[in-house]
Amino acid sequence: MNTELLGIIASFAITMLIAIPLGKYLAKMYAGEKTWTDFLKPLENGLYKLSGINPDEPMNWKQFLKAMMTINILWLVYGFFVLMHQDKLPLNPDGNAGQSADTAFNTIISFVANCNLQHYSGESGATYLTQHFIFMFLHFVSAATGMACAVAIFKAFRDKTTTDLGNFWNFFVKSITRVLLPLSIVIALILTFNGTPSSYAGKDKFISLQGDTVNVSRGPAAQMIAIKHLGTNGGGWFGANSAHPLENPNYLTNMTEIIAQFVIPVAMILAFGYFIRKKKLGWVIFSVMMVGVFMLMIPSITSELGGNPLIAKMGISQATGAMEGKEVRFGPTATAYWSTLTTVTSTGSVNGMHDSTMALTGLWELLAMMINAFFGGCGVGIMNYFIYLIIAVFISGLMVGRTPEFLGHKLEAREVKIAALITLLSPFLIMSFTALSSYVFMAHPGIDWAVKPSTWLNNPGYHGFSEMLYEYSSSNANNGSGFEGLGDGNIFWNVTTGIVILLGRFLPIIGPVAIAGLLAQKKFIPESTGTLKTDTLTFGVMTFAVIMILNALSYFPALALGPLAEHFSMLK
């Protein structure tokens, strides 16, 4: 156990050592200041010229969002038809079939939205062509989309009074060429030299310890696994994701992958402070988020190391903790650490089965996705936190009896209404669709569908409810992990989760960018003795309280019906 604890401490320390200078670099790079990656300018200029784009053209918030939505819609249409007809396209050595319309609908929305919820198995549900030119391509561009939109918010508060939020294409391309691509190459090389496949050969055969002949899928996996983590995507090359021995062969690759998925979300928070020239604010936000992460991580590790009380009653020793669903090469400590970071970010990759974690660990995983503002995905984490920040400023202004202001701009009814609507969106989507699925399961279990609702759940009762709640929480947070006891590969779950993913991705991006654009065009008010300071410990605590209260009020009843009830039932 001590070795495992040292492993996660080392992983965390290395992440911070990389994230702090990376945050400074991101701030300089996006601000157009001189950086060591300027040698890539000719490549970028060639891409702009080929595409007919002027990267220096200013955009207001409406133009910025129009550019972002237009290209994302194009990817949706393109990917949908390619997935349906992948069996007729090249690079399919294993002869995998095309996806059905509802599976393709869910899959393409999921990957465009940086969610990567997989209602198919990577080995059999996709070809090398779609894994590369759909999934891996979208791993890059969906992450870059979130980062570009975050930088638009950065610029809104750096320039004091402006209508120019920067050029979407400029931020988007730089996110790929100067951040995601070079770092992915390094990660892919580490994975390749440690045994992750990176060839285009088909399935290979080997003789198992039992003497059985087994066909094992291969393919250029290392390349996709690198960006799947770095871009907080999470969609696995193999169905078992990073619990698969070829996707995550050893503890070094495990450390590499967990560092990769956490480093950019942390760096983006610090970059915000450096970019707007308020480093203290960046560190306050970082501190609030990190406190939230530790409050989720420590109980998860404790829960997993404590073992299963039902197994303990049988007289079975659990010296290493709860090992159900864990990989022996990682153990419960590293798995609990991973499960926390993969749910506080929007990565959603797994190195153990979340469905097999202890009930309280499942509670913390659910809560991490429901809050969705403790670092979050690439770029979108700061945008989700920004909504809570606006509400905290509004409440603080009311408490002291003055007009709320944020970074020199007055908050008025329009901005607060947008923030309130975005805040209400997540619980509405999660609760309403969980209620719908629960109703169908209970009221119409034998309805004459291709997959009857009565067969959805492998685990009835409290845990079965948690499986449905988890699926929609993961979809809304654009996370993509799942309690895999749920039979989700059917039209009901494909369509409903696809809708939740789409709304849960783009409305929380549109809202913060619109608020930032509206605030930025207002007259800048210089700081005075009466100004509410947002870079103090007091305001950090206020924001943390707002996050906790809003989420407790929204989700406690559902969590009480699922993981909490399951936990207490195990203690009888």
Side-chain angles (χ1 to χ4, degrees):
M1 185 182 76
N2 291 335
T3 304
E4 289 187 32
L5 287 172
L6 288 173
I8 65 171
I9 291 170
S11 299
F12 181 81
I14 295 170
T15 303
M16 295 303 108
L17 288 173
I18 298 171
I20 294 171
L22 181 60
K24 295 177 181 179
Y25 162 76
L26 290 174
K28 286 185 176 182
M29 183 267 291
Y30 285 125
E33 298 176 15
K34 190 174 182 180
T35 62
W36 67 272
T37 53
D38 285 345
F39 73 90
L40 292 166
K41 278 186 178 180
L43 170 63
E44 295 162 355
N45 290 334
L47 292 172
Y48 297 138
K49 188 173 182 180
L50 182 66
S51 305
I53 291 171
N54 177 8
D56 300 318
E57 180 184 359
M59 291 182 175
N60 61 32
W61 67 271
K62 293 180 182 178
Q63 293 169 323
F64 195 98
L65 289 174
K66 180 181 177 182
M68 184 273 291
M69 289 301 300
T70 300
I71 193 64
N72 275 267
I73 291 170
L74 178 64
W75 295 329
L76 277 171
V77 176
Y78 145 73
F80 177 74
F81 288 104
V82 173
L83 288 170
M84 287 183 65
H85 299 97
Q86 63 179 357
D87 56 323
K88 302 175 180 64
L89 298 171
L91 293 177
N92 186 15
D94 298 331
N96 293 343
Q99 293 189 357
S100 65
D102 57 289
T103 302
F105 169 81
N106 181 275
T107 302
I108 194 58
I109 287 176
S110 184
F111 277 82
V112 167
N114 197 247
C115 179
N116 311 135
L117 187 73
Q118 293 177 285
H119 287 179
Y120 66 92
S121 180
E123 296 97 323
S124 58
T127 67
Y128 293 176
L129 184 138
T130 50
Q131 293 268 44
H132 257 7
F133 294 98
I134 301 294
F135 301 155
M136 190 165 73
F137 166 74
L138 290 173
H139 280 344
F140 279 99
V141 298
S142 63
T145 296
M147 295 170 75
C149 291
V151 179
I153 295 176
F154 295 3
K155 192 173 186 305
F157 294 109
R158 174 172 175 161
D159 293 349
K160 296 182 178 179
T161 299
T162 183
T163 57
D164 178 19
L165 298 193
N167 187 281
F168 170 78
W169 306 112
N170 182 20
F171 298 151
F172 173 78
V173 170
K174 281 184 175 179
S175 297
I176 296 174
T177 58
R178 302 195 184 201
V179 185
L180 298 173
L181 190 58
L183 289 177
S184 293
I185 292 172
V186 174
I187 296 165
L189 287 172
I190 294 173
L191 296 177
T192 301
F193 282 106
N194 278 275
T196 300
S198 58
S199 73
Y200 286 86
K203 291 181 179 179
D204 195 11
K205 291 183 180 180
F206 79 97
I207 307 299
S208 71
L209 293 175
Q210 291 84 1
D212 300 325
T213 300
V214 181
N215 293 314
V216 180
S217 296
R218 293 183 290 179
Q223 298 92 308
M224 193 181 92
I225 296 165
I227 185 58
K228 104 173 185 183
H229 287 112
L230 189 66
T232 60
N233 296 280
W237 183 276
F238 300 99
N241 208 280
S242 287
H244 196 288
L246 294 183
E247 191 152 327
N248 190 4
N250 54 47
Y251 206 89
L252 176 61
T253 61
N254 191 73
M255 287 183 66
T256 301
E257 292 178 18
I258 195 62
I259 290 167
Q261 65 185 279
F262 198 42
V263 69
I264 290 181
V266 174
M268 285 294 289
I269 304 303
L270 301 177
F272 174 61
Y274 288 112
F275 190 97
I276 67 171
R277 304 184 184 94
K278 289 184 178 292
K279 291 184 287 185
K280 189 177 178 182
L281 176 59
W283 282 104
V284 167
I285 295 173
F286 167 86
S287 300
V288 171
M289 290 185 175
M290 195 57 74
V291 168
V293 169
F294 285 136
M295 288 179 67
L296 296 166
M297 182 190 300
I298 294 171
S300 293
I301 294 173
T302 303
S303 178
E304 293 305 315
L305 289 177
N308 189 320
L310 296 180
I311 294 178
K313 288 178 183 178
M314 298 168 64
I316 299 173
S317 173
Q318 301 176 80
T320 58
M323 283 302 296
E324 180 189 338
K326 313 296 191 305
E327 292 297 305
V328 176
R329 62 190 187 278
F330 307 137
T333 307
T335 304
Y337 179 70
W338 184 301
S339 74
T340 302
L341 296 192
T342 202
T343 48
V344 295
T345 66
S346 67
T347 310
S349 66
V350 296
N351 71 342
M353 295 300 105
H354 287 193
D355 197 39
S356 295
T357 54
M358 298 306 300
L360 286 184
T361 306
L363 169 70
W364 307 125
E365 292 164 352
L366 279 162
L367 193 56
M369 294 185 294
M370 289 166 172
I371 294 171
N372 200 25
F374 293 151
F375 295 107
C378 289
V380 295
I382 185 67
M383 287 189 278
N384 292 331
Y385 187 91
F386 178 63
I387 293 296
Y388 289 116
L389 204 60
I390 293 298
I391 294 174
V393 169
F394 175 68
I395 294 173
S396 300
L398 294 178
M399 290 172 67
V400 299
R402 59 176 288 129
T403 303
E405 296 175 10
F406 180 65
L407 297 179
H409 301 279
K410 284 188 177 182
L411 274 177
E412 295 177 306
R414 185 164 47 172
E415 296 84 43
V416 175
K417 286 178 181 177
I418 295 172
L421 287 172
I422 298 302
T423 303
L424 293 171
L425 175 70
S426 291
F428 172 75
L429 290 174
I430 293 170
M431 298 303 154
S432 60
F433 278 96
T434 301
L436 174 63
S437 61
S438 300
Y439 169 76
V440 173
F441 176 78
M442 292 300 296
H444 303 284
I447 194 169
D448 190 21
W449 290 351
V451 179
K452 294 181 179 180
S454 60
T455 64
W456 287 350
L457 302 178
N458 290 333
N459 301 279
Y462 306 127
H463 193 78
F465 177 80
S466 296
E467 288 174 346
M468 294 190 289
L469 178 65
Y470 194 106
E471 189 76 0
Y472 289 117
S473 300
S474 179
S475 299
N476 174 74
N478 293 151
N479 186 269
S481 62
F483 273 6
E484 297 305 342
L486 177 69
D488 50 25
N490 56 73
I491 191 169
F492 178 89
W493 288 99
N494 283 335
V495 172
T496 56
T497 55
I499 294 169
V500 173
I501 291 167
L502 193 64
L503 296 175
R505 166 68 168 183
F506 291 105
L507 292 182
I509 287 178
I510 292 169
V513 172
I515 292 172
L518 292 170
L519 290 176
Q521 64 192 23
K522 295 181 181 182
K523 182 181 177 181
F524 179 77
I525 305 168
E527 191 174 294
S528 66
T529 53
T531 300
L532 173 68
K533 293 185 180 294
T534 56
D535 58 357
T536 63
L537 176 62
T538 301
F539 187 74
V541 172
M542 176 68 182
T543 307
F544 188 82
V546 167
I547 293 172
M548 291 295 102
I549 292 169
L550 287 177
N551 283 281
L553 291 172
S554 298
Y555 299 116
F556 180 77
L559 294 172
L561 288 172
L564 279 174
E566 181 186 358
H567 170 70
F568 287 116
S569 70
M570 295 171 68
L571 300 179
K572 289 181 180 179

